[in-house]
Amino acid sequence: MIKPDAYLAGNSGAIIKMIEEAGFRIVAAKLTKLSGERAGQFYAVHSARPFYNDLCTYMSSGPIVAMILEKDNAVADFRKLIGATNPANAEPGTIRKLFAKSIEANAIHGSDSDENATIEGAFFFSGFEQF
Ligand code: ATP
Ligand code: MG
């Protein structure tokens, strides 16, 4: 998911280019906007964290681009492409190093397991057609 800060800064195209050049195939894509409530559902796993309310406000502050991506070893390779949560700690050349503004407004989300990728895909797309 391309997060609101990156979308609003006009970086969606550059980020999608990096994703495709890294060998990921986009199998579903959608520009949408999360309500605070939907953002809260998406990040429910973090509901006890001190940053949760701010995170929900930020995630509903602008449009996002949701995508289902396909690649061998996709979860691990995508986390490597996006870099550390805090851009200050992200490797050079990663999406977060290039585009994130802060530990919160960090440009992009990646699923952390195959299981969560399936759950998060279903959160945004129902019965999508694979071309
Ligand atoms: P994501 O799940 O978005 O891919 P991540 O897996 O790298 O990010 P998580 O620990 O799952 O990191 O945190 C989810 C999101 O919550 C982060 O991407 C960031 O937007 C926000 N976040 C995480 N830690 C903090 C923090 N200490 N302060 C503010 N926001 C934070
Ligand atoms: Mg996470």
Side-chain angles (χ1 to χ4, degrees), residues 3 43 46 51 55 79 85 96 103-104 106 108-110:
K3 295 184 176 182
Y43 278 120
H46 294 308
F51 58 79
L55 176 61
R79 306 259 344 159
T85 308
R96 281 171 168 164
I103 188 171
E104 177 182 75
N106 60 1
I108 192 156
H109 160 79

Side-chain angles (χ1 to χ4, degrees), residues 33-130:
K33 191 166 183 288
L34 293 171
S35 64
E37 193 182 346
R38 284 268 292 165
Q41 288 164 7
F42 187 85
Y43 278 120
V45 66
H46 294 308
S47 60
R49 308 287 287 277
F51 58 79
Y52 179 68
N53 282 344
D54 281 352
L55 176 61
C56 296
T57 301
Y58 152 65
M59 286 301 301
S60 54
S61 66
I64 60 99
V65 183
M67 285 177 278
I68 296 179
L69 304 173
E70 192 175 82
K71 187 185 182 297
D72 287 346
N73 202 32
V75 167
D77 286 358
F78 195 71
R79 306 259 344 159
K80 205 168 167 191
L81 177 68
I82 71 179
T85 308
N86 186 344
N89 303 327
E91 293 289 322
T94 59
I95 291 172
R96 281 171 168 164
K97 182 56 113 189
L98 289 166
F99 299 111
K101 296 185 164 40
S102 67
I103 188 171
E104 177 182 75
N106 60 1
I108 192 156
H109 160 79
S111 302
D112 59 14
S113 65
D114 287 351
E115 189 192 2
N116 281 337
T118 302
I119 293 168
E120 291 170 357
F123 183 90
F124 286 111
F125 302 95
S126 58
F128 74 95
E129 226 178 306
Q130 197 162 338

